[in-house]
Coordinates of all heavy atoms in Angstrom, one line a residue:
M1 N 98.6 200.0 236.4 CA 100.0 200.5 236.0 C 100.3 199.6 234.7 O 101.1 198.7 234.7 CB 100.9 200.5 237.1 CG 101.9 199.4 237.4 SD 103.3 200.1 238.2 CE 104.5 199.2 237.7
A2 N 99.6 200.1 233.7 CA 99.8 199.4 232.4 C 101.1 199.8 231.7 O 101.5 199.0 230.8 CB 98.6 199.6 231.5
I3 N 101.5 200.9 232.0 CA 102.7 201.5 231.3 C 104.0 201.0 232.1 O 104.2 201.2 233.2 CB 102.7 203.0 231.3 CG1 101.4 203.5 230.7 CG2 103.8 203.5 230.5 CD1 101.1 204.9 230.9
P4 N 105.0 200.3 231.2 CA 106.1 199.9 231.9 C 107.1 201.0 232.3 O 107.3 202.0 231.4 CB 106.8 198.8 230.9 CG 106.2 199.3 229.6 CD 104.8 200.0 229.9
R5 N 107.8 200.8 233.3 CA 108.9 201.8 233.7 C 110.1 201.4 232.9 O 110.3 200.2 232.7 CB 109.1 201.6 235.2 CG 108.4 202.7 236.0 CD 108.9 202.6 237.4 NE 108.6 201.4 238.0 CZ 108.7 201.3 239.4 NH1 109.0 202.2 240.3 NH2 108.3 200.0 239.9
L6 N 110.9 202.5 232.7 CA 112.1 202.1 232.0 C 113.2 201.6 233.0 O 113.2 202.0 234.3 CB 112.7 203.5 231.4 CG 112.0 204.1 230.3 CD1 112.6 205.3 229.7 CD2 111.7 203.2 229.1
T7 N 114.1 200.8 232.5 CA 115.1 200.3 233.4 C 116.2 201.3 233.6 O 116.2 202.5 232.8 CB 115.8 199.1 232.9 OG1 116.4 199.4 231.5 CG2 114.8 198.0 232.5
D8 N 117.1 201.3 234.6 CA 118.3 202.2 234.8 C 119.0 202.3 233.3 O 119.4 203.4 233.0 CB 119.1 201.7 235.9 CG 118.5 202.0 237.1 OD1 117.6 202.8 237.2 OD2 119.0 201.4 238.1
A9 N 119.2 201.2 232.8 CA 120.0 201.2 231.5 C 119.4 202.0 230.4 O 119.9 202.9 229.6 CB 120.5 199.8 231.0
E10 N 118.2 201.8 230.3 CA 117.3 202.5 229.3 C 117.2 204.0 229.6 O 117.2 204.7 228.6 CB 115.9 201.9 229.3 CG 115.8 200.6 228.7 CD 114.3 199.8 228.8 OE1 113.7 200.1 230.0 OE2 114.1 199.0 228.0
I11 N 117.2 204.4 230.7 CA 117.3 205.8 231.3 C 118.5 206.4 230.8 O 118.6 207.5 230.2 CB 116.8 206.0 232.7 CG1 115.5 205.4 233.0 CG2 117.1 207.4 233.1 CD1 115.2 205.4 234.5
E12 N 119.6 205.6 231.1 CA 120.9 206.3 230.9 C 121.1 206.5 229.4 O 121.6 207.5 228.9 CB 122.1 205.4 231.5 CG 122.2 205.3 232.9 CD 122.1 206.7 233.7 OE1 122.8 207.6 233.1 OE2 121.3 206.9 234.6
L13 N 120.6 205.5 228.7 CA 120.7 205.5 227.1 C 119.9 206.8 226.6 O 120.3 207.5 225.8 CB 120.3 204.3 226.6 CG 120.5 204.1 225.1 CD1 122.1 204.0 224.9 CD2 120.0 202.7 224.6
A14 N 118.7 206.9 227.2 CA 117.7 208.0 226.7 C 118.5 209.3 226.9 O 118.2 210.4 226.2 CB 116.4 207.7 227.3
L15 N 119.1 209.4 228.2 CA 119.6 210.8 228.5 C 120.7 211.2 227.7 O 121.0 212.4 227.6 CB 119.9 210.8 230.0 CG 118.8 210.9 231.1 CD1 119.2 210.8 232.5 CD2 117.9 212.0 230.8
V16 N 121.4 210.3 227.1 CA 122.5 210.6 226.1 C 121.9 211.4 225.0 O 122.6 212.4 224.5 CB 123.2 209.4 225.6 CG1 124.2 209.7 224.5 CG2 123.8 208.6 226.6
A17 N 120.8 211.2 224.5 CA 120.1 212.0 223.5 C 119.3 213.1 223.9 O 118.7 213.8 223.1 CB 119.2 210.9 222.8
L18 N 119.3 213.3 225.2 CA 118.7 214.5 225.8 C 119.5 215.5 226.6 O 119.3 215.4 227.9 CB 117.3 214.0 226.6 CG 116.2 213.3 225.9 CD1 115.2 212.6 226.9 CD2 115.4 214.3 225.1
P19 N 120.4 216.2 226.0 CA 121.2 217.0 226.8 C 120.5 218.0 227.6 O 119.5 218.6 227.0 CB 122.1 217.7 225.7 CG 121.5 217.4 224.3 CD 120.7 216.2 224.5
G20 N 120.8 218.4 228.7 CA 120.2 219.3 229.5 C 119.2 218.7 230.5 O 118.8 219.3 231.6
W21 N 118.8 217.4 230.2 CA 117.9 216.7 231.1 C 118.7 215.9 232.1 O 119.7 215.2 231.8 CB 117.0 215.7 230.2 CG 115.9 216.5 229.5 CD1 116.2 217.1 228.2 CD2 114.6 216.9 229.8 NE1 115.0 217.6 227.8 CE2 114.0 217.5 228.7 CE3 113.8 216.7 231.0 CZ2 112.7 218.1 228.7 CZ3 112.5 217.2 231.0 CH2 111.9 217.9 230.0
N22 N 118.2 216.0 233.3 CA 118.7 215.3 234.5 C 117.8 214.3 235.1 O 116.7 214.6 235.2 CB 119.4 216.2 235.5 CG 120.5 217.1 234.9 OD1 121.5 216.6 234.4 ND2 120.3 218.4 234.9
R23 N 118.3 213.3 235.6 CA 117.5 212.3 236.3 C 117.2 212.9 237.8 O 118.1 213.3 238.5 CB 118.4 211.1 236.5 CG 117.4 209.9 236.4 CD 118.2 208.7 236.3 NE 117.4 207.6 236.8 CZ 117.7 206.4 237.0 NH1 118.8 206.0 236.7 NH2 116.9 205.4 237.4
V24 N 116.0 212.9 238.1 CA 115.7 213.1 239.5 C 114.7 212.0 240.0 O 114.5 211.1 239.2 CB 114.8 214.4 239.6 CG1 115.7 215.7 239.3 CG2 113.6 214.4 238.8
S25 N 114.4 212.0 241.2 CA 113.7 210.8 241.6 C 112.4 210.6 241.0 O 111.6 211.5 240.9 CB 113.3 211.0 243.2 OG 112.4 212.1 243.4
E26 N 112.2 209.5 240.4 CA 111.1 209.0 239.7 C 110.9 209.8 238.3 O 109.8 209.7 237.7 CB 109.8 209.2 240.4 CG 110.0 208.4 241.7 CD 108.6 208.0 242.4 OE1 107.5 208.7 242.0 OE2 108.5 207.2 243.3
G27 N 111.8 210.5 237.9 CA 111.6 211.3 236.7 C 112.9 212.0 236.1 O 114.0 211.6 236.4
I28 N 112.5 212.9 235.0 CA 113.7 213.6 234.5 C 113.3 215.1 234.5 O 112.1 215.4 234.5 CB 114.0 213.2 233.1 CG1 112.9 213.2 232.2 CG2 114.9 211.9 233.1 CD1 113.1 212.9 230.7
E29 N 114.4 216.1 234.6 CA 114.0 217.3 234.8 C 114.9 218.3 233.9 O 116.1 218.0 233.7 CB 114.3 217.7 236.3 CG 113.6 218.9 236.9 CD 113.7 218.9 238.3 OE1 114.8 219.2 238.8 OE2 112.6 218.7 238.9
R30 N 114.5 219.3 233.4 CA 115.3 220.4 232.7 C 114.7 221.7 233.1 O 113.5 221.8 233.1 CB 115.2 220.0 231.1 CG 116.0 221.1 230.4 CD 116.2 220.8 229.0 NE 116.9 221.9 228.4 CZ 117.3 222.1 227.1 NH1 116.9 221.2 226.2 NH2 117.9 223.2 226.8
S31 N 115.7 222.6 233.1 CA 115.4 224.0 233.3 C 115.6 224.9 232.1 O 116.7 224.5 231.3 CB 116.1 224.5 234.5 OG 115.8 225.9 234.7
Y32 N 114.7 225.7 231.7 CA 114.8 226.4 230.4 C 114.8 228.0 230.9 O 114.0 228.4 231.8 CB 113.6 226.3 229.6 CG 113.5 224.9 229.0 CD1 112.8 223.8 229.7 CD2 114.0 224.6 227.7 CE1 112.7 222.6 229.1 CE2 113.9 223.3 227.2 CZ 113.2 222.3 227.9 OH 113.0 221.0 227.4
K33 N 115.6 228.7 230.2 CA 115.6 230.2 230.4 C 115.3 231.0 229.1 O 115.7 230.6 228.1 CB 117.1 230.6 230.9 CG 117.3 230.7 232.4 CD 117.0 232.1 232.9 CE 117.2 232.2 234.5 NZ 118.6 232.2 234.9
F34 N 114.4 231.9 229.4 CA 114.0 232.7 228.2 C 114.3 234.2 228.4 O 114.8 234.5 229.5 CB 112.5 232.5 228.0 CG 112.2 231.1 227.7 CD1 111.8 230.2 228.7 CD2 112.3 230.6 226.4 CE1 111.5 228.8 228.4 CE2 112.0 229.2 226.1 CZ 111.7 228.4 227.2
A35 N 114.1 235.0 227.4 CA 114.4 236.5 227.4 C 113.5 237.2 228.5 O 114.0 238.0 229.1 CB 114.2 237.1 226.0
D36 N 112.3 236.7 228.6 CA 111.4 237.3 229.7 C 110.2 236.3 229.9 O 110.1 235.3 229.3 CB 110.9 238.8 229.1 CG 110.3 238.6 227.6 OD1 109.8 237.6 227.3 OD2 110.4 239.7 226.9
F37 N 109.2 236.9 230.6 CA 108.0 236.1 231.0 C 107.2 235.7 229.7 O 106.8 234.6 229.7 CB 107.3 236.8 231.9 CG 105.9 236.0 232.2 CD1 105.9 234.9 233.1 CD2 104.7 236.5 231.8 CE1 104.8 234.2 233.3 CE2 103.5 235.9 231.9 CZ 103.5 234.7 232.8
M38 N 107.1 236.7 228.8 CA 106.4 236.3 227.7 C 106.8 235.2 226.8 O 106.0 234.4 226.4 CB 106.1 237.7 226.7 CG 105.1 238.6 227.3 SD 103.5 238.0 227.6 CE 103.0 237.3 226.1
H39 N 108.1 235.1 226.7 CA 108.7 234.0 225.9 C 108.6 232.8 226.7 O 108.4 231.7 226.1 CB 110.2 234.4 225.6 CG 110.3 235.4 224.5 ND1 110.3 236.6 224.7 CD2 110.6 235.2 223.1 CE1 110.6 237.3 223.6 NE2 110.6 236.4 222.6
A40 N 108.8 232.9 228.1 CA 108.5 231.6 228.9 C 107.1 231.1 228.8 O 107.0 230.0 228.6 CB 108.9 231.9 230.3
F41 N 106.3 232.0 228.8 CA 104.8 231.6 228.8 C 104.4 231.0 227.5 O 103.6 230.2 227.3 CB 103.9 232.8 229.3 CG 102.5 232.1 229.6 CD1 102.3 231.5 230.8 CD2 101.4 232.3 228.8 CE1 101.1 231.0 231.2 CE2 100.2 231.9 229.1 CZ 100.0 231.1 230.3
A42 N 104.9 231.6 226.4 CA 104.6 231.1 224.9 C 105.1 229.7 224.9 O 104.5 228.9 224.3 CB 105.4 232.1 223.9
F43 N 106.4 229.5 225.4 CA 107.0 228.1 225.5 C 106.0 227.2 226.3 O 105.6 226.2 225.8 CB 108.3 228.1 226.2 CG 108.8 226.8 226.6 CD1 109.4 225.9 225.6 CD2 108.8 226.4 227.9 CE1 109.9 224.7 226.0 CE2 109.3 225.2 228.2 CZ 109.8 224.3 227.3
M44 N 105.5 227.5 227.3 CA 104.5 226.8 228.2 C 103.2 226.4 227.4 O 102.7 225.3 227.5 CB 104.2 227.4 229.5 CG 105.5 227.5 230.4 SD 105.2 228.4 231.9 CE 104.3 227.2 232.9
T45 N 102.8 227.4 226.6 CA 101.6 227.3 225.7 C 101.9 226.2 224.7 O 101.0 225.3 224.5 CB 101.3 228.6 225.0 OG1 101.2 229.6 226.1 CG2 99.9 228.5 224.3
R46 N 103.1 226.3 224.1 CA 103.3 225.3 223.0 C 103.5 223.8 223.7 O 103.0 222.8 223.1 CB 104.6 225.6 222.3 CG 104.5 226.8 221.4 CD 105.6 226.9 220.5 NE 107.0 226.9 221.0 CZ 107.6 228.0 221.5 NH1 107.0 229.2 221.3 NH2 108.8 228.0 222.0
V47 N 104.2 223.8 224.9 CA 104.3 222.4 225.5 C 102.9 222.0 225.9 O 102.7 220.7 225.9 CB 105.2 222.6 226.7 CG1 105.2 221.3 227.7 CG2 106.7 222.9 226.3
A48 N 102.1 222.9 226.4 CA 100.7 222.4 226.9 C 99.9 221.7 225.8 O 99.3 220.7 225.9 CB 99.9 223.7 227.3
L49 N 100.0 222.2 224.5 CA 99.4 221.6 223.3 C 100.0 220.3 223.0 O 99.3 219.4 222.7 CB 99.6 222.6 222.0 CG 98.7 224.0 222.2 CD1 99.1 224.9 221.1 CD2 97.3 223.7 222.4
L50 N 101.4 220.2 223.2 CA 102.0 219.0 222.9 C 101.6 217.9 223.8 O 101.3 216.7 223.6 CB 103.5 219.1 223.0 CG 104.4 219.6 221.9 CD1 105.8 219.9 222.5 CD2 104.3 218.8 220.8
A51 N 101.4 218.3 225.2 CA 101.1 217.5 226.2 C 99.7 217.0 226.1 O 99.4 215.8 226.3 CB 101.3 218.3 227.7
E52 N 98.9 217.9 225.7 CA 97.4 217.5 225.6 C 97.4 216.4 224.3 O 96.6 215.5 224.5 CB 96.6 218.7 225.3 CG 95.1 218.7 225.6 CD 94.8 218.1 226.9 OE1 95.5 218.1 227.9 OE2 93.6 217.5 227.0
K53 N 98.1 216.7 223.3 CA 98.0 215.9 222.2 C 98.6 214.4 222.6 O 98.1 213.3 222.2 CB 98.9 216.3 221.1 CG 98.4 216.0 219.6 CD 99.4 216.5 218.6 CE 99.1 218.0 218.2 NZ 100.2 218.5 217.2
A54 N 99.6 214.4 223.4 CA 100.2 213.1 223.8 C 99.4 212.4 224.9 O 99.9 211.4 225.5 CB 101.7 213.4 224.2
D55 N 98.5 213.3 225.6 CA 97.8 212.8 226.9 C 98.9 212.5 227.9 O 98.9 211.4 228.5 CB 96.9 211.6 226.6 CG 96.1 211.4 227.9 OD1 95.7 212.4 228.6 OD2 95.6 210.2 228.2
H56 N 99.9 213.2 228.0 CA 101.0 213.1 229.0 C 101.4 214.5 229.5 O 101.8 215.3 228.6 CB 102.2 212.3 228.4 CG 103.1 211.8 229.3 ND1 102.6 210.8 230.2 CD2 104.3 212.0 229.6 CE1 103.8 210.5 231.0 NE2 104.7 211.2 230.7
H57 N 101.4 214.7 230.8 CA 101.5 216.1 231.2 C 102.6 216.3 232.1 O 102.9 215.5 232.9 CB 100.1 216.5 231.8 CG 98.9 216.4 231.0 ND1 98.3 215.1 230.7 CD2 98.3 217.1 230.0 CE1 97.3 215.2 229.9 NE2 97.3 216.5 229.5
P58 N 103.3 217.6 232.0 CA 104.5 217.8 232.7 C 104.0 218.4 234.2 O 102.9 218.9 234.4 CB 105.1 219.0 232.0 CG 104.0 219.6 231.3 CD 102.9 218.5 231.0
E59 N 105.0 218.2 235.1 CA 104.9 218.8 236.4 C 105.9 220.1 236.0 O 107.0 219.8 235.6 CB 105.4 218.0 237.5 CG 104.6 216.9 237.7 CD 105.2 215.9 238.9 OE1 106.2 216.3 239.5 OE2 104.6 214.8 238.9
W60 N 105.6 221.3 236.4 CA 106.4 222.4 236.1 C 106.3 223.6 237.0 O 105.4 223.7 237.8 CB 106.4 222.8 234.7 CG 105.0 223.1 234.1 CD1 103.9 223.2 234.7 CD2 104.7 223.2 232.6 NE1 102.8 223.6 233.9 CE2 103.3 223.5 232.6 CE3 105.4 223.2 231.6 CZ2 102.6 223.8 231.5 CZ3 104.7 223.4 230.4 CH2 103.2 223.7 230.2
F61 N 107.3 224.4 237.0 CA 107.4 225.5 237.8 C 108.0 226.7 237.0 O 108.8 226.5 236.2 CB 108.4 225.3 238.9 CG 108.5 226.5 239.9 CD1 107.7 226.8 240.8 CD2 109.7 227.2 239.6 CE1 107.9 227.9 241.6 CE2 110.0 228.4 240.4 CZ 109.1 228.7 241.4
N62 N 107.2 227.8 237.2 CA 107.7 229.0 236.3 C 107.7 230.1 237.3 O 106.9 230.4 238.2 CB 106.6 229.3 235.2 CG 106.7 230.8 234.7 OD1 105.8 231.6 234.9 ND2 107.7 231.1 234.0
V63 N 108.9 230.9 237.2 CA 109.0 232.2 237.8 C 109.7 233.1 236.7 O 110.7 232.8 236.2 CB 109.9 232.2 239.1 CG1 111.1 231.6 238.9 CG2 109.7 233.5 239.7
Y64 N 109.0 234.1 236.3 CA 109.5 235.2 235.4 C 109.9 234.5 234.1 O 109.1 233.9 233.3 CB 110.5 236.1 236.0 CG 111.0 237.1 234.9 CD1 110.0 237.8 234.3 CD2 112.4 237.4 234.7 CE1 110.6 238.9 233.3 CE2 112.9 238.3 233.8 CZ 111.9 239.0 233.1 OH 112.2 240.0 232.1
N65 N 111.2 234.4 233.8 CA 111.8 233.9 232.5 C 112.2 232.4 232.6 O 112.9 231.9 231.6 CB 112.8 234.8 232.0 CG 114.1 234.8 232.8 OD1 113.9 234.4 234.0 ND2 115.2 235.2 232.4
R66 N 112.0 231.8 233.7 CA 112.6 230.4 233.9 C 111.3 229.4 234.0 O 110.3 229.7 234.6 CB 113.3 230.4 235.2 CG 114.0 229.2 235.6 CD 114.8 229.2 236.8 NE 114.2 228.2 237.7 CZ 114.2 228.4 239.0 NH1 114.6 229.5 239.6 NH2 113.7 227.5 239.8
V67 N 111.6 228.3 233.3 CA 110.5 227.1 233.5 C 111.3 225.9 233.7 O 112.2 225.5 233.0 CB 109.8 227.1 232.1 CG1 108.7 225.9 232.2 CG2 109.2 228.3 231.6
D68 N 110.9 225.3 234.8 CA 111.5 224.0 235.3 C 110.4 223.0 234.8 O 109.4 223.1 235.4 CB 111.8 224.0 236.8 CG 112.9 225.0 237.2 OD1 113.7 225.4 236.4 OD2 112.9 225.4 238.4
V69 N 110.9 222.0 234.1 CA 109.9 221.0 233.6 C 110.4 219.6 234.3 O 111.6 219.2 234.1 CB 110.0 220.9 232.1 CG1 109.0 219.8 231.6 CG2 109.6 222.2 231.5
R70 N 109.5 218.9 234.8 CA 109.7 217.6 235.4 C 108.8 216.7 234.8 O 107.6 217.0 234.7 CB 109.6 217.6 236.9 CG 109.8 216.3 237.6 CD 109.9 216.6 239.0 NE 110.3 215.3 239.8 CZ 109.4 214.3 240.2 NH1 108.1 214.5 239.8 NH2 109.8 213.3 240.7
L71 N 109.4 215.5 234.2 CA 108.5 214.5 233.5 C 108.6 213.2 234.3 O 109.7 212.7 234.6 CB 109.0 214.3 232.1 CG 108.9 215.6 231.2 CD1 109.5 215.2 229.7 CD2 107.5 216.1 231.1
T72 N 107.5 212.7 234.6 CA 107.4 211.4 235.2 C 106.0 210.7 234.8 O 105.1 211.6 234.4 CB 107.4 211.5 236.8 OG1 107.4 210.3 237.4 CG2 106.3 212.3 237.3
T73 N 105.8 209.4 234.8 CA 104.6 208.9 234.4 C 103.9 208.4 235.8 O 104.4 207.4 236.4 CB 104.8 207.7 233.5 OG1 105.6 208.2 232.3 CG2 103.6 207.1 233.1
H74 N 103.0 209.1 236.0 CA 102.2 208.8 237.4 C 101.5 207.3 237.3 O 101.7 206.6 238.4 CB 101.1 209.9 237.7 CG 101.6 211.2 237.6 ND1 101.2 212.1 236.7 CD2 102.5 211.9 238.3 CE1 101.9 213.3 237.0 NE2 102.7 213.1 237.9
D75 N 101.1 206.9 236.1 CA 100.5 205.7 235.9 C 101.6 204.5 236.0 O 101.2 203.4 236.2 CB 99.8 205.6 234.6 CG 98.7 206.5 234.5 OD1 98.2 207.1 235.5 OD2 98.2 206.7 233.4
A76 N 102.8 204.8 235.9 CA 104.0 203.8 236.1 C 104.6 204.0 237.4 O 105.5 203.0 237.6 CB 104.8 204.0 234.9
G77 N 104.4 205.0 238.1 CA 105.4 205.3 239.2 C 106.7 205.5 239.0 O 107.5 205.1 239.8
G78 N 107.0 206.0 237.9 CA 108.4 206.4 237.5 C 108.5 206.8 236.1 O 107.6 207.3 235.5
L79 N 109.7 206.6 235.7 CA 109.9 207.1 234.2 C 109.6 206.1 233.2 O 109.9 204.9 233.3 CB 111.5 207.4 234.1 CG 111.8 208.4 232.9 CD1 111.4 209.8 233.2 CD2 113.4 208.3 232.8
S80 N 108.9 206.5 232.2 CA 108.5 205.6 231.0 C 108.8 206.2 229.7 O 109.3 207.4 229.7 CB 107.0 205.4 231.0 OG 106.2 206.4 230.5
A81 N 108.7 205.5 228.7 CA 108.8 205.9 227.3 C 108.1 207.2 227.0 O 108.5 208.0 226.1 CB 108.7 204.8 226.4
R82 N 106.9 207.3 227.5 CA 106.1 208.5 227.3 C 106.8 209.8 227.8 O 106.8 210.9 227.2 CB 104.8 208.4 228.1 CG 104.1 207.2 227.7 CD 102.6 207.1 228.3 NE 101.9 208.0 227.9 CZ 100.5 208.3 228.2 NH1 100.2 207.6 229.4 NH2 99.7 209.3 227.8
D83 N 107.6 209.8 228.8 CA 108.4 210.8 229.3 C 109.5 211.2 228.3 O 109.7 212.4 228.1 CB 109.0 210.6 230.7 CG 107.9 210.3 231.7 OD1 107.0 211.2 231.8 OD2 107.9 209.2 232.3
V84 N 110.2 210.1 227.8 CA 111.3 210.3 226.9 C 110.6 211.0 225.6 O 111.3 211.9 225.0 CB 112.1 209.1 226.5 CG1 113.0 209.3 225.5 CG2 112.7 208.6 227.8
A85 N 109.6 210.5 225.2 CA 109.0 211.0 223.9 C 108.6 212.5 224.2 O 108.7 213.3 223.2 CB 107.7 210.1 223.6
L86 N 107.9 212.8 225.3 CA 107.5 214.2 225.4 C 108.8 215.1 225.6 O 108.8 216.3 225.1 CB 106.6 214.4 226.8 CG 106.2 215.7 226.9 CD1 105.3 216.2 225.7 CD2 105.2 215.7 228.2
A87 N 109.8 214.6 226.3 CA 111.0 215.5 226.5 C 111.7 215.8 225.0 O 112.1 216.9 224.7 CB 112.0 214.8 227.3
T88 N 111.7 214.7 224.2 CA 112.2 214.8 222.8 C 111.3 215.8 222.0 O 111.9 216.7 221.4 CB 112.2 213.4 222.1 OG1 112.9 212.5 222.9 CG2 112.8 213.6 220.8
A89 N 110.0 215.8 222.1 CA 109.1 216.7 221.5 C 109.2 218.1 221.9 O 109.3 219.1 221.2 CB 107.7 216.2 221.6
I90 N 109.4 218.3 223.3 CA 109.7 219.7 223.7 C 110.9 220.3 223.2 O 111.0 221.3 222.9 CB 109.7 219.5 225.3 CG1 108.4 219.2 225.9 CG2 110.2 220.9 225.9 CD1 108.4 219.0 227.5
D91 N 112.1 219.5 223.3 CA 113.3 220.1 222.7 C 113.4 220.2 221.3 O 113.9 221.2 220.7 CB 114.4 219.1 223.1 CG 114.8 219.2 224.6 OD1 114.2 220.1 225.3 OD2 115.6 218.4 225.1
A92 N 112.5 219.6 220.6 CA 112.3 219.8 219.1 C 111.6 221.1 218.8 O 111.8 221.8 217.9 CB 111.6 218.6 218.5
Ligands
LIG101 C1 93.6 209.3 232.0 C2 94.9 209.9 231.5 O1 95.1 209.2 230.2 C3 96.0 209.6 232.4 O2 95.6 210.1 233.7 C4 97.3 210.3 231.9 C5 97.2 211.8 231.7 N1 98.5 212.3 231.8 C6 99.6 211.8 232.4 N2 100.7 212.5 232.6 C7 101.7 212.0 233.3 N3 102.7 212.8 233.4 N4 101.7 210.8 233.9 C8 100.5 210.1 233.7 O3 100.5 208.9 234.3 C9 99.5 210.6 233.0 N5 98.3 209.9 232.8

């Protein structure tokens, strides 16, 4: 576990800059809604490319036009700066 976990204070601070993201056990979560499945899946394709580039991968759930994204760092057993970076990149 080479990647350090964020402290509670660091997480609270990071979430101020990430509207829509909520803290869940060991990670952060956001739900996205799209016009239809094609738009949801196009979003997932873009996120997949970001994730692969960052070597950091989401846990996610899709049904029709909804995508729930959960970010956690398995190597850290909790939330790390890598999750905040990926959340920021996804929202951009
Ligand atoms: C070997 C590889 O770098 C690691 O397994 C990476 C890949 N993607 C990952 N994604 C996430 N979400 N957490 C990790 O700890 C993680 N580790």
Side-chain angles (χ1 to χ4, degrees):
M1 102 155 207
I3 306 168
R5 264 188 299 196
L6 297 180
T7 64
D8 284 343
E10 287 170 332
I11 294 169
E12 292 314 314
L13 193 63
L15 286 180
V16 172
L18 289 170
W21 288 87
N22 296 302
R23 215 174 155 179
V24 293
S25 66
E26 300 195 354
I28 52 173
E29 204 168 72
R30 179 172 173 183
S31 188
Y32 296 87
K33 263 269 178 77
F34 299 93
D36 54 28
F37 174 73
M38 281 312 297
H39 286 84
F41 197 75
F43 166 78
M44 293 176 80
T45 304
R46 292 197 301 273
V47 172
L49 295 173
L50 282 176
E52 202 47 26
K53 210 185 283 178
D55 191 28
H56 198 64
H57 303 87
E59 298 175 9
W60 53 12
F61 174 81
N62 162 243
V63 59
Y64 182 50
N65 64 342
R66 188 178 114 215
V67 183
D68 299 336
V69 181
R70 185 170 181 273
L71 300 178
T72 184
T73 302
H74 307 114
D75 296 342
L79 201 70
S80 79
R82 301 181 71 183
D83 300 302
V84 174
L86 185 57
T88 303
I90 291 172
D91 283 353

